[in-house]
Structure formats: C-alpha cells, structure tokens
Amino acid sequence: MELVAKARAGNRRALARLITLVEAGDAQAQTALAALYPYTGHAHIVGVTGAPGTGKSTLVTQMALHWRSLGRTVAVLAVDPTSPFSGGAILGDRIRMQALGGDSGCYIRSMASRGSLGGLSRATGDAVKALDAAGFDIVIVETVGAGQAEVEIAREAHTVVVVEVPGMGDDIQAIKAGILEIADVFVVNKADREGVERTVRQLQMMLHLGSGEHRDGWEPPIVQTVSNTGKNIAEAAAAVERHLAHLKSNNLLELRERERIEREWKVIMRETLLRQLLQRLEPHVHEQLLKQMSERQLDPYAAANQAIESVLEFPQSATPSGQS
C-alpha cells in the first residue's frame, strides 16, 4: 500500500493520513492495517496516565525531549476527551507540546476518546501500530486522566507510568485498588510542592501491602520530578528503560505481546460476529425479540440464544453456555 510505504519513509503527511484512515475502522482501514502489520513490534510503547492536573503533558514533553537528546525518535499519542458536538478531541494536548514542534524525530497526534471507557479510544491500538511501523523508537500514549477506571492502558503498553502529585486526594487515595496497581513506574510530579514526602510514603506503603509480590517480579520505582524545570526527568526516563530491560531479560516482553495480540484478536472476532449476526437477523425477528424483552416475557440471555438460533439455524441446546 502506497500510503504505508510513504509513512515508513518518513512522510509526516502520509503518516497523518494513515492514522486518520485507521481511526475510521472501515474496510480501507483493515487494508491499511494489513499492509503495515508486518513492520510492527519494534517500538517501546509507554503509557502515561494519572488524574487531571498532575502535569502529564509537561512530563511527556520533557521525557520526549530527553530521549531526543539521546538520538531516539519519539511519537506521542495524546488521547483527549471527546467533544459532544464535533466528536473531536477537546483538549488538544499538542498545544501544550509546542517544544517538540519542528523536530523531524518527533510526531504528536491528539485522538478523541470517543466515549471509550478506560481512557483509550478503540482506534488507539491501531494508531500505535501505524507509529510503530513508521519506525519510531518510543511511542508514548498519554491518556485522558479519568482516574482509577483508566486501567486499559496496562493492556496496550509495555511500560505504564502513573503520575501522582502532592496534595491530591486523602490519605487512603494512594492505596485504593485500580489505577495504582497497573504502575510499572511511579512519578511524583510537582515535587517542589509541600507534602511530597507524605505522598511518597503513601506509595511506598501501597507497594508493600502485597508482601513484596509485584507484577512480573518488578518493584515499581518512585521518581520525584518537577517537569516544569526538567528536574529528575532523566531519572524517570531511565526507570522506564530499566523496566523494558527487565521484561526482555526475563522473557516477559514476548509473553505480554502475545497476551495483547490474543485479546485484540478476540475483540475483533466478537465485534465481527456481532455485526454479521445483526446484519442477518430478520427485522421482524429483531422487533419481536425486543418487544418480548420490553414486556418482560423474555430475558436477554434467552433472546440472544433465539437470535443466534434464527440466524445460524442450529438448535438452542448447541449454543455454548456461559461464553461471551
């Protein structure tokens, strides 16, 4: 595919068009993804997440500048909340990342979350593939900062950076299940604020609640940064790289990638089968089942079995139970 070839050759306009194409999710997008897929699997995917106001965009900018100073190429995907009117990204993190503008070794793209839960849009994974195939060494995915529900990034990234700041939340906020459990690296940003020692202690307490058992045998380091001044940015970037080295040395990177691919494959199959089933379901059957459910004559599970039976023409008893 010519567009993929141009993007891989460094044509930024072609890359932008390619990402727009894969965002669409139509037949053309599938053709493009098939063409670029053989060139993926080389970039280090870094997820950066945390509550709004923690300074994620400034931190990402500083880390990207640091990696550029080392000769690494960096792409940034900033997943913003969706405008309810235009459907587009409403924060536009590229505005905050002007320091990266004009650098041929950097690429920044804002994407709308389109209402997707977990902080990632459905097309983010495909956009990451496009950036990976374009040859970037590091792809940073900055999520919308929705809070503890934003754990989806852990499934897409190799290394997850969770950003905290002093003075946000109560004493037990740092030990709640959810977003903090996905961290491979903790960054306590705005560390020039009062209360930074308390925030670090809370994180350390949370890390040791599990009796020293951490994901993949890795204990997440805690790095204090002041992203506005660049303080300790090199240390944060080094912690991210140490985590990747840990995954590689313990043969965990390939395992994570295999699990991610299997999840993606199952999601695609599920969506494809549902779309095909709905296309083949007779309108009168569709309406009848909806009416029966609305009148509480039929439960949704039984209605699903009947819909599948009417389309695939096999007895209801043959429908696997307890599977989604």
Side-chain angles (χ1 to χ4, degrees), residues 17-60:
R17 287 175 57 202
L18 180 61
I19 295 176
T20 299
L21 185 62
V22 300
E23 275 191 280
D26 54 17
Q28 277 189 303
Q30 293 182 22
T31 301
L33 287 166
L36 62 85
Y37 195 75
Y39 306 105
T40 61
H42 304 290
H44 181 189
I45 314 302
V46 180
V48 178
T49 188
T54 54
K56 296 187 299 295
S57 296
T58 306
L59 178 70
V60 165

Side-chain angles (χ1 to χ4, degrees), residues 1-323:
M1 189 175 182
E2 184 180 359
L3 193 60
V4 173
K6 288 183 177 180
R8 295 194 67 245
N11 187 315
R12 292 293 184 263
R13 182 172 295 180
L15 178 57
R17 287 175 57 202
L18 180 61
I19 295 176
T20 299
L21 185 62
V22 300
E23 275 191 280
D26 54 17
Q28 277 189 303
Q30 293 182 22
T31 301
L33 287 166
L36 62 85
Y37 195 75
Y39 306 105
T40 61
H42 304 290
H44 181 189
I45 314 302
V46 180
V48 178
T49 188
T54 54
K56 296 187 299 295
S57 296
T58 306
L59 178 70
V60 165
T61 299
Q62 293 286 359
M63 292 178 73
L65 289 171
H66 170 76
W67 277 316
R68 286 298 296 134
S69 71
L70 300 179
R72 314 284 293 281
T73 55
V74 182
V76 179
L77 265 182
V79 185
D80 291 338
T82 303
S83 167
F85 303 105
S86 68
I90 61 175
L91 293 183
D93 276 324
R94 283 177 292 184
I95 297 173
R96 301 189 187 94
M97 299 180 182
Q98 292 180 0
L100 303 176
D103 186 343
S104 60
C106 264
Y107 181 83
I108 306 168
R109 174 80 177 218
S110 289
M111 292 182 66
S113 62
R114 300 173 191 252
S116 176
L117 296 176
L120 290 177
S121 74
R122 177 70 182 87
T124 301
D126 291 339
V128 167
K129 291 187 187 72
L131 295 168
D132 188 357
F136 288 97
D137 298 319
I138 299 169
V139 177
I140 304 175
V141 182
E142 180 197 338
T143 63
V144 296
Q148 292 181 30
E150 204 168 4
V151 297
E152 189 179 334
I153 185 63
R155 298 180 175 181
E156 297 294 331
H158 300 135
T159 303
V160 179
V161 178
V162 171
V163 186
E164 291 283 315
V165 295
M168 292 186 68
D170 54 32
D171 288 351
I172 64 170
Q173 190 68 28
I175 62 173
K176 286 184 178 179
I179 188 171
L180 295 183
E181 293 182 350
I182 69 172
D184 298 306
V185 176
F186 286 106
V187 169
V188 179
N189 197 27
K190 304 182 183 181
D192 51 348
R193 285 185 175 184
E194 184 180 351
V196 62
E197 296 85 0
R198 181 180 181 181
T199 301
V200 171
R201 284 197 304 271
Q202 289 174 350
L203 291 173
Q204 290 172 336
M205 178 176 65
M206 187 275 299
L207 286 174
H208 290 93
L209 283 177
S211 302
E213 296 180 4
H214 304 289
R215 189 166 63 140
D216 297 330
W218 167 266
E219 181 171 352
I222 302 171
V223 183
Q224 300 179 39
T225 64
V226 183
S227 54
N228 283 334
T229 65
K231 180 180 179 181
N232 289 344
I233 294 299
E235 287 78 0
V240 169
E241 295 187 20
R242 285 199 307 273
H243 178 256
L244 180 66
H246 170 80
L247 293 179
K248 288 181 176 179
S249 63
N250 290 280
N251 298 318
L252 294 169
L253 187 62
E254 183 178 348
L255 178 62
R256 279 196 180 188
E257 181 66 5
R258 181 183 174 90
E259 291 174 347
R260 186 197 63 77
I261 290 172
E262 184 177 12
R263 279 193 302 269
E264 180 183 32
W265 179 42
K266 288 181 178 179
V267 167
I268 292 171
M269 285 194 295
R270 187 161 54 241
E271 292 180 351
T272 302
L273 287 171
L274 176 60
R275 183 170 59 251
Q276 292 180 357
L277 186 146
L278 291 175
Q279 288 173 349
R280 297 178 186 182
L281 188 64
E282 293 290 342
H284 74 275
V285 175
H286 183 277
E287 290 302 317
Q288 180 184 14
L289 292 174
L290 273 179
K291 183 175 183 296
Q292 289 178 315
M293 284 187 287
S294 298
E295 295 176 352
R296 300 303 190 267
Q297 298 173 358
L298 196 66
D299 69 89
Y301 288 96
N305 283 333
Q306 289 189 25
I308 294 170
E309 179 185 350
S310 70
V311 171
L312 301 184
E313 298 181 353
F314 57 71
Q316 184 171 333
S317 60
T319 305
S321 61
Q323 295 186 12

